[in-house]
Structure formats: C-alpha cells, structure tokens
Amino acid sequence: MTDIPKLQERLREFADKRDWKQFHSPKNLSMALIVEAGELAEHFQWLTQEESFNLANEKLEAVGEELADIFVYLVRLADQLDIDLAKVVERKIDLNEAKYPADLVRGSARKYTEYQ
Amino acid sequence: MTDIPKLQERLREFADKRDWKQFHSPKNLSMALIVEAGELAEHFQWLTQEESFNLANEKLEAVGEELADIFVYLVRLADQLDIDLAKVVERKIDLNEAKYPADLVRGSARKYTEYQ
Amino acid sequence: MTDIPKLQERLREFADKRDWKQFHSPKNLSMALIVEAGELAEHFQWLTQEESFNLANEKLEAVGEELADIFVYLVRLADQLDIDLAKVVERKIDLNEAKYPADLVRGSARKYTEYQ
Amino acid sequence: MTDIPKLQERLREFADKRDWKQFHSPKNLSMALIVEAGELAEHFQWLTQEESFNLANEKLEAVGEELADIFVYLVRLADQLDIDLAKVVERKIDLNEAKYPADLVRGSARKYTEYQ
C-alpha cells in the first residue's frame, strides 16, 4: 500500500476504533510529530555527515521506525485538519521548481544556503 | 500524484538536477525535518486543543505548507538511506494493531498514555 | 552554584577532560539540544494543559532531568561560540519589556498571540 | 545579572505583569521551547561542523537571540513546576562525572557515542 489517501484511511480507522480522536488534536499531534523528529535526530547527532550515510543494520532499522512514526503523525494531522497532503506536497514541489531554478543554484553551497 | 514512490522519484530528480545531494546527508536532512516540525508546532503553541481544530484559512494554508515541507524531507531521508517508506509505515501500523488492541485501550485516556 | 559563568566553566572543564570538544561543534550541540527538548515535550504531549501543571513526583523528576540536559547543551553552545549567555538573556528581557508593554497586552489572549 | 534565581524572578514578574501565566502552562512552554530550539538548529542545518564554529557576526547575533529565547522558556518552565533549575543542573553534572569517567572515555569517539 503506497497510496497516501489509502494509508490515511487506514490510520483514521485505527484511531477511530480506539477512540483516540480525543487525543489527536492538531496541537497534540504537532507535539507528537516533533517528539518523533527528535528521536530521529538523536540517531545522527554525534555522527559526521559521512557516517550518517553508512548506518549499521540495526540503526538503519531503528531509523526506519522513526520515519514511520513521523509519517503516521503527519498523515493523522492532515486528516484531522482536512488537508489534502498529496496535493500540498505537489504544490510545494511546483513552488520549489520555480523558486530554485536548476540553472542558477546548481553545485553551489553558497547559492543553496542563500536561497533557503 | 498520491503514490509515495512516485513522489520520492520526483523529489530525487529535483535534488539531483540542483546537485543538492551533497547537502542532503541523512544528518542534515534529519535537522531540516525537525526544523520544519518546529515551524509546524509554532502555529499551535499558544492555542487550546479546541482552537487547534479551528484554524483560520490563512493559518490552515500555512500549516499545509509545513506539512508538505516535512513530507519532502521525510521522503528525501528515506531515499538517501534506501529505506522503503511505505513498507516501514505498513509494518508500523501492523505492530501498533498488535500493541494497542482496540478492545483494551478504547476510550481511556489513562490506558492511552500508559500504552505509549 | 547558581551563577551561569561558573556553571559554564565547570561544564567546559568536564568536556575538556574528556576530549569531547571535537564532538561539541555548534552544529552537533544544536542537535543535541533539540533532541533533549523533544524528550521534554514527550512528557507533555498527551496531557491537557491543566494536567501539565500537576505532574506525579516521578514524572516531575524526569522533567527536571530534561531541563538540566537542555541547560547543559545551551551553556556548552554559548561557550563554544563565545556568546555571553547571561548578557544576551538580559538584553532579550529588555527588548521584550519594550515590545510587549504590560498595559497593552495584559489579560488578552488575542493580543498575546498577535504580539508573538 | 548572572544568577539563575534572580533571572527567574525577573522573568516571573515580567509574565505576571502581563497576565501571561494562563498561557504559560508547562505543556505550552515545552512547545515554545522546542520551537525556539528549531529556530536555533535552522542556523546550522546546512553547515559543515567546521563552518558552524565560524559564524558571521550577524548570524552569531541571531544565534545569541535564539539561545536567550530558549533560556527564557527553560527558566519559566522550571518556575511553573517549582523545579530548582540550578540544583538539577548540578546534580546532572555530578551524575555525568560518575557515568563518564574521564580516564575511560577520553579521546575516543566510539566510547563517546557508546556512552550516550
């Protein structure tokens, strides 16, 4: 199942069956999401950038779990606020294509950080 | 386009065309992700939970943009580490189904937080 | 010992004795700090605001430890960048006194969030 | 003014005069703190570790402001929960002295990350 709306529906059913909607206020979900993002960052905090590409299997699996946790809260938050996640993502990519023209920003760290 | 692997491919091409792979180390991406998660949380920090459900249109749009930013970094990170995002998400939901049986945790805040 | 510069010195000696300066780049310390801030937020994510005032003793102690962790990384970061923490804090308070005049913002949630 | 309890008192008065205690629930303050920690991390996200030591003056000043913001919320949170910040920090340093004996962990990245 790689389709965002289908995953979103499955996650909604999961929460509904457990009466968790009451905890899943957008405020709480935004906290839960950043808490998971912190657990993700923890895996990388003392690594060099090179090391961060080459994780041992066990660590890679743990990172995968954090990514999943973040995805779950992201989709729940979109669902609770009736935001069409796939749509805002596509719009964002379109905006970025216009904002960072490949010809201008290619291969330049300085231009990259300037453009942010 | 609501299919995760297709969005992932589009985002990879976007980064490749700009030679941004060098900045997109997993370490850097994990930082960028939590920075965006912070911008998301900022919208909710002083709201009550009730207020967080009822955002004005302008704020709702801004929140949608933050969700998109988080999604983009999440997918880029999975891509850089060769993690199959949809797969780890599905595995996570399966695990949660087993970990939080609906019959046991339904409708109970205490049980909910205990189970976390 | 409640004096910031003295705590800063003690923490510097602690890191120096362990040759940890190499890990304590400002980049890494900013990650470590937000990771701890995530552990702090985790304690509060599913609580109501009222509940967050009334923590059980065990939880209160755990929260105290997170606050200490954040303080340690905050002071280390100031130290590594030669920032006078007490001075920037005082300047910030002065700025806030001017930015949020008590007469104008008192007792109004709307004014509070507007002013942010 | 470099004494933590004195800064804490000044910050409490500041909030009291504005009737902000109602917004400063520990839950909200933990969110505000991590939001500021995200703004701090934003300054470092695309930098190498070397670059993160050598910030331009303007950026250094901005980083100082973020550190001040984090400090303010940290102290407010301790105040609202009646946690003696200086005391938990000292206890933490004592614990770390015992947990990471200088002789054992010195100069070894591997030992450092293992010990975390």
Side-chain angles (χ1 to χ4, degrees):
Chain A
M1 196 192 283
T2 61
D3 188 57
I4 297 174
K6 279 182 191 148
L7 285 163
Q8 183 165 336
E9 209 183 303
R10 195 175 162 200
L11 286 164
R12 187 193 310 141
E13 275 171 21
F14 179 86
D16 282 352
K17 272 194 194 154
R18 284 155 187 79
D19 266 352
W20 282 359
K21 216 190 148 163
Q22 54 182 316
F23 304 110
H24 285 192
S25 70
K27 179 175 178 128
N28 284 4
L29 288 167
S30 78
M31 286 188 82
L33 195 156
I34 201 166
V35 165
E36 297 298 336
E39 294 183 7
L40 175 69
E42 191 176 6
H43 290 288
F44 298 110
Q45 64 187 344
W46 306 118
L47 302 186
T48 65
Q49 299 195 43
E50 295 69 46
E51 288 166 344
S52 78
F53 277 105
N54 299 296
L55 304 181
N57 276 345
E58 200 184 340
K59 199 159 191 173
L60 193 62
E61 204 165 322
V63 166
E65 284 212 39
E66 305 301 354
L67 296 184
D69 285 331
I70 294 169
F71 184 89
V72 166
Y73 288 125
L74 190 65
V75 166
R76 286 296 298 145
L77 192 39
D79 199 51
Q80 292 288 58
L81 287 172
D82 256 324
I83 290 172
D84 184 331
L85 184 58
K87 197 171 144 191
V88 293
V89 169
E90 287 217 273
R91 197 189 305 147
K92 189 69 178 199
I93 303 177
D94 291 340
L95 278 171
N96 283 346
E97 299 263 11
K99 196 174 164 193
Y100 309 111
D103 290 348
L104 283 179
V105 302
R106 190 181 302 123
S108 161
R110 204 169 141 267
K111 273 178 191 152
Y112 180 69
T113 47
E114 255 170 29
Y115 265 91
Q116 294 301 308
Chain B
M1 196 192 283
T2 61
D3 188 57
I4 297 174
K6 280 184 189 145
L7 286 164
Q8 183 165 335
E9 208 183 304
R10 194 174 164 201
L11 286 165
R12 187 192 309 140
E13 275 172 21
F14 180 85
D16 283 353
K17 271 193 194 153
R18 282 155 187 79
D19 267 353
W20 283 359
K21 214 188 150 166
Q22 54 183 314
F23 303 110
H24 284 191
S25 69
K27 180 177 178 123
N28 283 3
L29 288 167
S30 77
M31 286 187 82
L33 194 156
I34 201 167
V35 165
E36 297 298 337
E39 293 182 8
L40 175 70
E42 191 176 6
H43 290 288
F44 298 109
Q45 63 188 343
W46 306 118
L47 303 187
T48 64
Q49 298 194 44
E50 295 69 44
E51 287 167 344
S52 78
F53 276 105
N54 299 296
L55 305 180
N57 277 344
E58 201 183 340
K59 198 158 192 175
L60 193 63
E61 205 164 324
V63 165
E65 286 212 38
E66 305 301 352
L67 296 185
D69 285 332
I70 294 168
F71 184 89
V72 166
Y73 289 125
L74 189 66
V75 166
R76 287 295 299 145
L77 191 40
D79 198 51
Q80 292 288 58
L81 288 172
D82 256 324
I83 289 172
D84 184 330
L85 185 58
K87 198 171 141 190
V88 293
V89 168
E90 285 216 273
R91 198 189 303 145
K92 189 68 179 198
I93 303 176
D94 291 340
L95 278 171
N96 282 345
E97 299 262 11
K99 196 174 164 192
Y100 307 111
D103 289 349
L104 283 178
V105 302
R106 189 181 305 123
S108 161
R110 205 169 141 266
K111 274 180 191 150
Y112 180 69
T113 46
E114 256 171 28
Y115 265 90
Q116 295 301 308
Chain C
M1 196 191 283
T2 62
D3 187 56
I4 297 175
K6 280 183 191 148
L7 285 164
Q8 182 165 336
E9 209 182 304
R10 193 173 165 202
L11 286 165
R12 187 193 308 141
E13 275 171 20
F14 179 85
D16 282 353
K17 271 193 193 154
R18 284 155 187 78
D19 266 352
W20 282 359
K21 213 187 151 165
Q22 54 183 314
F23 303 110
H24 285 190
S25 69
K27 179 176 178 124
N28 284 4
L29 288 167
S30 78
M31 286 187 82
L33 194 156
I34 200 167
V35 165
E36 297 299 338
E39 293 183 8
L40 174 70
E42 191 177 6
H43 290 287
F44 298 110
Q45 62 187 345
W46 306 117
L47 302 186
T48 64
Q49 299 194 43
E50 293 70 44
E51 287 167 345
S52 77
F53 276 104
N54 299 295
L55 304 181
N57 277 345
E58 200 184 341
K59 199 158 192 174
L60 193 63
E61 204 167 322
V63 166
E65 285 213 38
E66 305 301 352
L67 296 185
D69 285 331
I70 294 169
F71 184 88
V72 166
Y73 288 125
L74 190 65
V75 166
R76 287 294 299 143
L77 192 39
D79 198 52
Q80 291 288 58
L81 287 172
D82 256 324
I83 290 172
D84 184 331
L85 185 57
K87 196 170 144 191
V88 293
V89 168
E90 286 216 274
R91 196 189 305 145
K92 189 68 178 198
I93 303 176
D94 291 341
L95 277 172
N96 282 345
E97 299 262 12
K99 197 174 164 192
Y100 308 112
D103 289 348
L104 283 179
V105 302
R106 190 182 304 123
S108 160
R110 204 169 141 265
K111 272 178 192 152
Y112 180 69
T113 47
E114 255 170 29
Y115 265 91
Q116 296 299 309
Chain D
M1 195 192 284
T2 61
D3 187 57
I4 297 175
K6 279 183 191 146
L7 285 164
Q8 183 165 335
E9 207 183 305
R10 192 172 166 202
L11 287 165
R12 187 193 309 141
E13 274 171 21
F14 179 86
D16 282 353
K17 271 193 194 153
R18 284 155 187 79
D19 266 353
W20 282 0
K21 213 188 151 167
Q22 54 183 315
F23 304 111
H24 284 193
S25 69
K27 179 177 178 123
N28 283 3
L29 288 167
S30 77
M31 286 188 82
L33 194 155
I34 201 166
V35 165
E36 297 298 337
E39 293 183 9
L40 174 70
E42 191 176 5
H43 290 288
F44 298 110
Q45 63 187 345
W46 306 118
L47 303 186
T48 63
Q49 298 194 44
E50 294 69 45
E51 287 167 344
S52 77
F53 276 105
N54 299 295
L55 303 180
N57 277 344
E58 200 184 341
K59 199 159 191 172
L60 193 61
E61 204 164 324
V63 165
E65 285 213 36
E66 305 301 352
L67 297 185
D69 285 331
I70 294 168
F71 184 88
V72 166
Y73 288 125
L74 191 64
V75 166
R76 287 294 300 144
L77 192 40
D79 198 52
Q80 291 288 59
L81 288 171
D82 255 323
I83 290 172
D84 184 331
L85 185 58
K87 197 172 143 191
V88 293
V89 168
E90 286 216 274
R91 196 189 305 146
K92 190 69 179 196
I93 303 176
D94 291 340
L95 277 171
N96 282 346
E97 299 263 11
K99 195 174 165 192
Y100 307 111
D103 290 347
L104 282 180
V105 302
R106 189 181 303 121
S108 161
R110 204 169 141 267
K111 274 179 192 150
Y112 180 69
T113 46
E114 255 170 29
Y115 267 91
Q116 295 300 310

